[in-house]
Amino acid sequence: ISPGNFIPPNQFIPIAEEYGLIEELGNIMLRKSCKLLSKCHQLNERFNDLYISVNVASSQLEKESFLTSVKRLVETNNLQPSQLQLEITEREAVNPNKEVIPILQQARELGFKIALDDFGTGYNSLSYLNNLPATALKIDRSFIVGMEHSTNGTKVISSIVELAQTIDLTTITEGIETEEQREKLLAMGCSSAQGFLFPRPLRPTAVNDYLLELCETSN
């Protein structure tokens, strides 16, 4: 995707929400993501352990047919529920006006991974973690920026990683762009990361080529 054609999520998501398109957009991404992952699995048996993460809106989750349709979607593409990670922002997951936690609990019981996106930016209490059926915390990229400018930023990330490990959650750090950032996070015990370092956004047709290149590099 060339820079001229790339529209960041913080621009197009509010527009989609304003015009009532966010649910359909989310459903399209679920279908396309599962189809792409299935193709990756077929390409090389070394890709069979891959899973894919897809952002979902609370309005999607609240639809009565959501879990049934997602379960059917993974089955149609010969995937396991554990190979699909549903991401929801911290703000939406704990919004008192939304009833998404019971739905996330059902999704977890079906075997889907649940990631809490933008962790650390949306709530003022950690007590909700006791009731949230998450399998991963995604550390917001703003903390990475903070890490670059102060030791306090590093301490905050380290504390989040330690918290996640204590309650058996995976940590995924967003916005990694340099090897120095990656090495610091590995030293802290962060298990996964995403960002332009791994690489920038790719067209679906280029994903398989990228994965094959990674396999050749690791041999």
Side-chain angles (χ1 to χ4, degrees):
I1 299 176
S2 65
N5 295 328
F6 181 70
I7 303 175
N10 62 349
Q11 291 184 22
F12 73 78
I13 288 179
I15 295 173
E17 291 175 333
E18 180 181 354
Y19 288 92
L21 300 173
I22 194 65
E23 291 178 34
E24 182 56 28
L25 179 61
N27 291 333
I28 289 172
M29 292 309 301
L30 277 168
R31 292 195 295 269
K32 287 183 173 293
S33 297
C34 287
K35 186 176 181 179
L36 175 61
L37 182 60
S38 180
K39 286 184 176 179
C40 290
H41 287 180
Q42 294 169 20
L43 179 68
N44 191 317
E45 63 179 14
R46 295 182 66 179
F47 301 157
N48 288 343
D49 292 335
L50 288 176
Y51 70 90
I52 196 163
S53 297
V54 182
N55 292 89
V56 293
S58 57
S59 56
Q60 283 178 271
L61 289 169
E62 291 176 320
K63 292 292 183 182
E64 186 175 345
S65 60
F66 177 77
L67 288 178
T68 300
S69 62
V70 173
K71 185 179 178 182
R72 185 183 306 118
L73 185 61
V74 296
E75 291 172 350
T76 301
N77 287 279
N78 297 313
L79 301 174
Q80 298 297 320
S82 60
Q83 292 170 325
L84 176 61
Q85 180 166 269
L86 303 175
E87 295 187 13
I88 185 168
T89 65
E90 183 182 21
R91 291 177 186 274
E92 289 199 297
V94 298
N95 188 330
N97 298 319
K98 303 289 185 179
E99 294 293 334
V100 301
I101 290 183
I103 303 167
L104 292 174
Q105 182 64 54
Q106 293 178 50
R108 185 72 191 97
E109 290 171 357
L110 289 171
F112 294 99
K113 291 181 171 70
I114 307 294
L116 191 61
D117 201 8
D118 300 337
F119 180 76
T121 65
Y123 206 55
N124 58 9
S125 172
L126 296 176
S127 61
Y128 68 89
L129 286 177
N130 289 326
N131 300 317
L132 192 67
T135 55
L137 299 181
K138 297 193 69 179
I139 302 173
D140 189 75
R141 70 180 304 274
S142 61
F143 291 107
I144 303 304
V145 175
M147 181 179 71
E148 298 288 296
H149 299 292
S150 72
T151 57
N152 284 338
T154 300
K155 291 177 181 178
V156 168
I157 295 175
S158 182
S159 297
I160 294 174
V161 172
E162 185 176 353
L163 168 66
Q165 291 173 340
T166 301
I167 54 179
D168 297 322
L169 296 180
T170 300
T171 50
I172 305 169
T173 311
E174 302 175 322
I176 308 305
E177 299 184 2
T178 68
E179 281 291 342
E180 182 181 3
Q181 291 172 338
R182 186 181 73 87
E183 290 173 3
K184 284 184 178 180
L185 290 162
L186 281 173
M188 292 181 206
C190 187
S191 54
S192 302
Q194 68 181 59
F196 288 164
L197 184 64
F198 312 108
R200 288 181 175 271
L202 296 171
R203 293 186 181 277
T205 52
V207 172
N208 286 340
D209 292 339
Y210 173 71
L211 292 173
L212 286 172
E213 183 179 346
L214 282 181
C215 285
E216 292 176 1
T217 303
S218 62
N219 287 336

